[in-house]
């Protein structure tokens, strides 16, 4: 999962490529490179490190030319070395390639090409593409690229330039995201939309097995059988500011603080006069909804945690049995799906390879797919029968925050809608539940207003090496999510557990060095039991940080530290309870001087298996 960017126009390419590439760094950041065509020659500069570091070493802006490409790498095939950094070239340094994805049959292809005399200079799968194009070149670059693509198995978003055609930029895509940006006397290719928003809001989404030829004033798209395709030009609604930090130290912090606004956006236009208006977004008739006997939700990581909350919501209010599956596991089983099973895929990026593969597996078996996706035009969006957008806006921080809470809100909307269609929720209950939902933005803001208090707690715990997160019922997934946030950005080992499971093993870990974060919000289900769990931790010397309902005096008596959230209906507490956990993880990671927005070894969109 790398970031690729390409430019062809009248201006100097290098400064534009650097600007766009920096916005793509979240996709991968172990090495970076750039190529421009200067006086009919390809000039390449690349090295290991983050974009800024590489730029300092190689000075990208010295590259001259109006056609160029750049790449930020997250290693898959081949170590993180200068040689393996992109762009890669053919034997004669006339064809240059940047690539995101994995060429599965690269070793066979490489063997054949080596036999024919091609000389390789890297260990990457990508380099075979440059040599394959060279091998198939008979005067037409698009023809050579198309022939090469027919031999390739695997995923790719590709940018290709050649000193033989200095005014052209070629692109192709299969299973990895690639968008074409249409500017004024300039055109772009990019792994995602936010990277080019400074330059254009008009885009064309490339589909699988399509090849694009861009000049400064023209874009043509073909399939691999040379048929010209008519593609829709889309207008992007996000503005540049939405994709930038706006004075926050990190994107993650900005995104945490955006949540009240995001939730307002997510519900905007979907509620009216005590009713849920998502009928047009869900491509299912009332009859079809009534017939749903089972729902399977597939997702990964934080989106999987959202799915677990969704399971709780849907079973409780819509009375539909739900199974939540790790997409990566689901795709390799032989899941039983019948005509009454509906599949929901949840993904912020809409590009997660495992979720996409799970969706396809379910589709193959005849399931209808509804997706909850944040990025419009992403692969999951386009391959689903219908998509309900989470409307969180661009999420740049690698650790997902606002996308998570917006996914929960969409799951809640689906739940109420299904419950209504099935005749399970009387009008008055729907009105009350919508009223609860509308309270969320202000309530979230009040939690965010406690940031200094949460930061104080981060100061107490940032030197710890382990942490345990406990929750029950609908807040168990929030314990998982709190632990994931902490470990991925601060590198502190953390685990989430259902509070009652602690006595079956994890309690052995408790000593005075172990912070235990317990979601102990007031409810009439397991609250009292959670209080007992807190006592159990306390009596073994563990330090309890409780997430409690504002005004609750009982938790105060037994927990060592207390963070508060306002009261709302039980089913909506996860949306509030996760916020102090996001902030705690953020401040701890920042105090440890971690690279919060780009944690090591992670990438924003995991487009490889
Ligand atoms: C964690 C995180 C990841 C993603 C996961 C799925 O903070 O961001 O766990 O949730 O990689 O990504 P999407 O939602 O894009 O499918």
């Amino acid at each position: 999962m790398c970031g690729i960017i390409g430019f062809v126009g009248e201006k100097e390419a290098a400064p534009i490529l650097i600007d766009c590439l920096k916005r793509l760094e979240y996709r991968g950041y172990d090495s970076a490179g750039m190529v421009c065509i200067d006086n009919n020659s390809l000039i390449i500069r690349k090295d290991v490190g983050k974009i800024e570091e590489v730029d300092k070493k190689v000075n990208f802006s010295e590259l001259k030319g109006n056609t160029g490409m750049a790449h930020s790498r997250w290693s898959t095939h081949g170590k993180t070395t200068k040689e393996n950094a992109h762009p890669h070239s053919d034997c004669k340094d006339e064809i240059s390639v940047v690539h995101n994805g994995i060429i599965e049959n690269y070793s066979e292809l490489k063997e054949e090409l080596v036999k024919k005399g091609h000389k390789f200079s890297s260990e990457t799968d990508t380099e075979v593409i440059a040599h394959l194009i060279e091998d198939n070149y008979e005067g037409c670059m698009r023809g050579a690229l198309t022939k090469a693509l027919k031999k390739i198995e695997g995923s790719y978003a590709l940018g290709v330039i050649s000193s033989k055609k200095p005014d052209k930029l070629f692109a192709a895509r299969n299973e990895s995201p690639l968008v074409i940006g249409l500017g004024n006397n300039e055109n772009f290719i990019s792994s995602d939309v936010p990277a080019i928003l400074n330059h254009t809001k008009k885009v064309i989404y490339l589909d699988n097995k399509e090849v694009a030829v861009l000049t400064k004033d023209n874009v043509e798209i073909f399939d691999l059988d040379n048929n010209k395709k008519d593609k829709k030009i889309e207008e992007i609604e996000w503005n540049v500011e939405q994709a930038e930090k706006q004075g926050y130290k990190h994107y993650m912090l900005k995104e945490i603080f955006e949540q009240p606004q995001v939730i307002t956006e997510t519900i905007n236009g979907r509620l009216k006069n005590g009713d849920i208006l998502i009928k047009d977004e869900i491509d299912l008739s009332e009859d079809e909804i009534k017939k749903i006997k089972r729902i399977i939700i597939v997702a990964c990581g934080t989106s999987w945690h959202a799915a677990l909350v969704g399971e709780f919501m849907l079973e409780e209010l819509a009375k539909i049995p739900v199974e939540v599956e790790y997409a990566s596991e689901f795709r390799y089983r032989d899941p039983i799906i019948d005509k009454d099973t509906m599949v929901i895929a949840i993904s912020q990026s809409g590009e997660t390879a495992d979720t996409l593969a799970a969706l396809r597996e379910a589709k193959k078996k005849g399931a209808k797919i509804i997706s909850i996706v944040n990025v419009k035009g992403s692969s999951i969006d386009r391959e689903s029968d219908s998509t309900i957008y989470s409307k969180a806006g661009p999420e740049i921080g690698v650790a997902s925050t606002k996308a998570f809470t917006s996914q929960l809100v969409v799951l809640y909307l689906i739940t109420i809608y299904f419950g209504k269609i099935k005749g399970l929720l009387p009008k008055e209950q729907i009105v009350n539940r919508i009223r609860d939902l509308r309270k969320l933005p202000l309530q979230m803001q009040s939690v965010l207003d406690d940031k200094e208090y949460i930061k104080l707690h981060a100061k107490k715990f940032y030197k710890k090496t382990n942490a345990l997160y406990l929750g029950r019922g609908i807040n168990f997934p929030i314990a998982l999510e709190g632990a994931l946030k902490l470990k991925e950005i601060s590198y502190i080992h953390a685990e989430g557990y259902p509070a009652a499971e602690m006595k079956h093993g994890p309690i052995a870990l408790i000593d005075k060095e172990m912070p235990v974060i317990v979601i102990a919000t007031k409810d009439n289900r397991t609250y009292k039991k959670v209080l007992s769990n807190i006592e159990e931790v306390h009596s073994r010397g563990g330090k309890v940080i409780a997430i409690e309902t504002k005004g609750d005096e009982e938790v105060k008596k037994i927990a060592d530290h207390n963070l508060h959230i306002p009261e709302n209906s039980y089913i909506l507490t996860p949306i509030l309870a996760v916020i102090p956990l996001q902030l705690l993880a953020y401040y701890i990671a920042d105090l440890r001087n971690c690279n919060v927005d780009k944690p090591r070894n992670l990438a924003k969109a995991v487009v490889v298996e």
Side-chain angles (χ1 to χ4, degrees):
M1 57 216 128
C2 309
I4 73 175
I5 190 86
F7 173 85
V8 55
E10 287 177 343
K11 299 178 191 144
E12 284 295 317
I16 293 170
L17 291 171
I18 298 169
D19 172 60
C20 299
L21 190 64
K22 282 185 181 158
R23 291 167 213 278
L24 284 176
E25 196 171 32
Y26 71 90
R27 297 179 63 84
Y29 34 84
D30 56 41
S31 39
M34 188 183 288
V35 57
C36 287
I37 304 179
D38 184 7
N39 268 328
N40 295 336
S41 297
L42 294 179
I43 311 293
I44 295 180
R45 294 203 181 165
K46 59 184 186 179
D47 214 327
V48 169
K50 298 202 167 61
I51 295 167
E52 296 255 347
E53 294 160 11
V54 178
D55 193 17
K56 272 196 192 123
K57 278 191 232 172
V58 306
N59 212 346
F60 286 134
S61 51
E62 280 177 7
L63 291 186
K64 296 273 166 269
N66 316 110
T67 306
M69 307 185 299
H71 187 272
S72 138
R73 179 169 188 243
W74 187 80
S75 311
T76 54
H77 287 64
K79 292 182 284 295
T80 304
T81 60
K82 180 176 175 180
E83 292 67 35
N84 290 337
H86 298 216
H88 291 286
S89 310
D90 65 327
C91 300
K92 297 190 227 88
D93 283 334
E94 289 177 344
I95 296 165
S96 191
V97 174
V98 290
H99 169 219
N100 169 34
I102 291 179
I103 307 302
E104 282 160 9
N105 58 340
Y106 88 100
S107 47
E108 296 95 289
L109 292 171
K110 187 169 175 175
E111 216 176 285
E112 275 172 37
L113 288 160
V114 168
K115 272 190 204 144
K116 287 181 169 179
H118 286 264
K119 298 263 178 296
F120 280 75
S121 43
S122 79
E123 299 161 318
T124 63
D125 52 339
T126 303
E127 197 183 341
V128 296
I129 307 169
H131 292 278
L132 261 185
I133 300 172
E134 178 184 25
D135 210 58
N136 286 285
Y137 186 74
E138 289 165 351
C140 171
M141 268 300 289
R142 180 170 67 82
L145 173 60
T146 306
K147 280 187 191 153
L149 295 178
K150 284 187 168 169
K151 296 188 179 149
I152 284 171
E153 286 163 23
S155 57
Y156 51 80
L158 274 185
V160 182
I161 56 174
S162 167
S163 53
K164 301 172 212 255
K165 309 278 173 194
D167 303 329
K168 286 189 173 157
L169 168 62
F170 300 86
R173 152 193 176 140
N174 188 43
E175 311 291 352
S176 295
L178 196 67
V179 64
I180 294 173
L182 307 173
N184 218 348
N185 269 329
E186 56 192 29
N187 289 312
F188 301 79
I189 58 167
S190 174
S191 294
D192 75 15
V193 168
I196 50 172
L197 273 183
N198 253 341
H199 305 276
T200 181
K201 290 192 161 198
K202 286 200 175 73
V203 301
I204 295 174
Y205 293 103
L206 215 54
D207 279 305
N208 283 344
K209 307 222 160 150
E210 285 182 342
V211 175
V213 184
L214 292 79
T215 57
K216 68 178 167 51
D217 44 21
N218 193 31
V219 173
E220 288 184 323
I221 295 167
F222 302 85
D223 63 19
L224 295 189
D225 296 320
N226 289 324
N227 300 307
K228 198 161 169 200
K229 306 280 292 268
D230 242 356
K231 303 281 291 187
K232 195 169 151 216
I233 299 175
E234 314 251 1
E235 192 84 30
I236 300 299
E237 291 151 22
W238 294 346
N239 59 36
V240 182
E241 291 79 63
Q242 276 178 300
E244 285 182 350
K245 273 191 235 163
Q246 291 169 3
Y248 286 94
K249 186 168 178 191
H250 293 101
Y251 281 112
M252 181 180 175
L253 190 61
K254 170 183 163 256
E255 287 157 7
I256 291 172
F257 274 84
E258 275 173 358
Q259 288 177 108
Q261 182 54 37
V262 161
I263 298 312
T264 308
E265 280 292 316
T266 308
I267 58 183
N268 204 3
R270 287 169 167 161
L271 303 176
K272 200 176 170 194
N273 302 333
D275 204 0
I276 309 279
L277 308 179
I278 54 170
K279 188 166 179 261
D280 294 343
E281 295 174 79
I282 297 185
D283 183 29
L284 288 176
S285 67
E286 295 199 357
D287 224 38
E288 284 173 306
I289 292 171
K290 284 182 192 151
K291 281 191 189 139
I292 299 171
K293 292 276 179 308
R294 178 171 160 250
I295 293 177
I296 299 176
I297 313 183
V298 291
C300 299
T302 288
S303 297
W304 185 77
H305 297 155
L308 291 175
V309 177
E311 173 182 27
F312 209 100
M313 291 174 173
L314 282 156
E315 291 196 339
E316 178 143 330
L317 300 179
K319 302 288 176 223
I320 305 173
V322 178
E323 287 156 44
V324 174
E325 300 268 3
Y326 281 117
S328 52
E329 291 299 318
F330 178 83
R331 60 179 298 194
Y332 287 114
R333 288 213 324 270
D334 191 9
I336 298 166
I337 292 173
D338 58 26
K339 60 177 181 15
D340 300 326
T341 305
M342 192 187 90
V343 171
I344 300 180
I346 307 181
S347 175
Q348 185 286 127
S349 60
E351 298 293 350
T352 300
D354 288 320
T355 311
L356 187 57
L359 174 160
R360 287 177 183 161
E361 180 65 30
K363 225 172 163 182
K364 214 162 65 193
K365 294 189 171 217
K368 272 241 172 186
I369 317 282
I370 293 186
S371 287
I372 301 172
V373 160
N374 194 38
V375 180
K376 245 187 193 172
S378 58
S379 305
I380 294 177
D381 175 16
R382 286 180 298 143
E383 294 195 27
S384 302
D385 294 296
S386 45
T387 303
I388 310 186
Y389 299 109
S390 46
K391 299 196 182 174
E395 192 179 64
I396 307 293
V398 163
S400 187
T401 52
K402 60 176 182 169
F404 177 68
T405 43
S406 63
Q407 287 165 349
L408 296 187
V409 167
V410 171
L411 283 161
Y412 186 75
L413 294 174
I414 296 176
T415 301
I416 310 279
Y417 181 64
F418 282 5
K420 179 191 131 189
I421 301 291
K422 292 184 72 190
L424 296 167
L425 300 178
K427 177 87 185 164
E428 195 192 328
Q429 200 191 129
I430 296 176
V431 169
N432 289 340
R433 292 205 173 270
I434 289 178
R435 194 197 50 219
D436 293 343
L437 182 61
R438 286 197 192 275
K439 281 189 210 156
L440 278 178
L442 275 181
Q443 292 189 320
M444 293 171 109
Q445 190 56 52
S446 76
V447 183
L448 293 168
D449 290 344
D450 268 351
K451 64 175 189 301
E452 292 302 328
Y453 184 63
I454 297 170
K455 201 192 269 181
L456 273 180
H457 287 80
K459 283 186 182 148
K460 288 189 182 119
F461 293 102
Y462 78 98
K463 290 191 177 148
K464 298 286 180 192
T465 48
N466 293 288
L468 198 58
Y469 285 71
L470 303 176
R472 290 200 73 169
I474 200 162
N475 283 312
F476 160 54
I478 300 306
L480 294 176
E481 175 60 8
L484 178 63
K485 286 289 91 88
L486 186 71
K487 65 186 140 191
E488 68 181 334
I489 60 169
S490 74
Y491 317 137
I492 294 174
H493 170 243
E495 292 199 52
Y497 261 94
E501 272 295 301
M502 189 180 60
K503 57 185 174 294
H504 299 289
I507 197 162
L509 294 169
I510 309 275
D511 63 12
K512 66 181 181 7
E513 291 307 319
M514 177 67 93
V516 184
I517 296 94
V518 187
I519 301 152
T521 46
K522 214 156 185 172
D523 61 55
N524 51 15
R525 304 181 191 208
T526 50
Y527 170 70
K528 294 275 179 207
K529 309 266 181 215
V530 173
L531 294 189
S532 309
N533 297 136
I534 294 180
E535 299 275 17
E536 286 159 16
V537 173
H538 203 59
S539 61
R540 283 159 184 85
K543 292 276 167 281
V544 174
I545 307 161
I547 310 297
E548 63 180 33
T549 311
K550 219 171 211 149
D552 182 353
E553 293 302 321
E554 273 188 78
V555 183
K556 215 162 256 124
K557 285 184 213 150
I558 52 172
D560 301 278
H561 307 277
N562 306 75
L563 304 177
H564 318 105
I565 62 166
E567 193 167 358
N568 201 324
S569 65
Y570 176 68
I571 223 144
L572 290 173
T573 49
I575 300 174
L576 295 165
V578 74
I579 297 177
L581 303 187
Q582 294 169 341
L583 281 174
L584 195 63
Y586 170 78
Y587 288 125
I588 287 177
D590 192 37
L591 284 162
R592 289 164 73 93
N593 284 323
C594 295
N595 191 344
V596 174
D597 281 334
K598 293 169 194 156
R600 68 184 178 211
N601 306 337
L602 290 175
K604 185 68 186 159
V606 186
V607 296
V608 292
E609 260 191 67

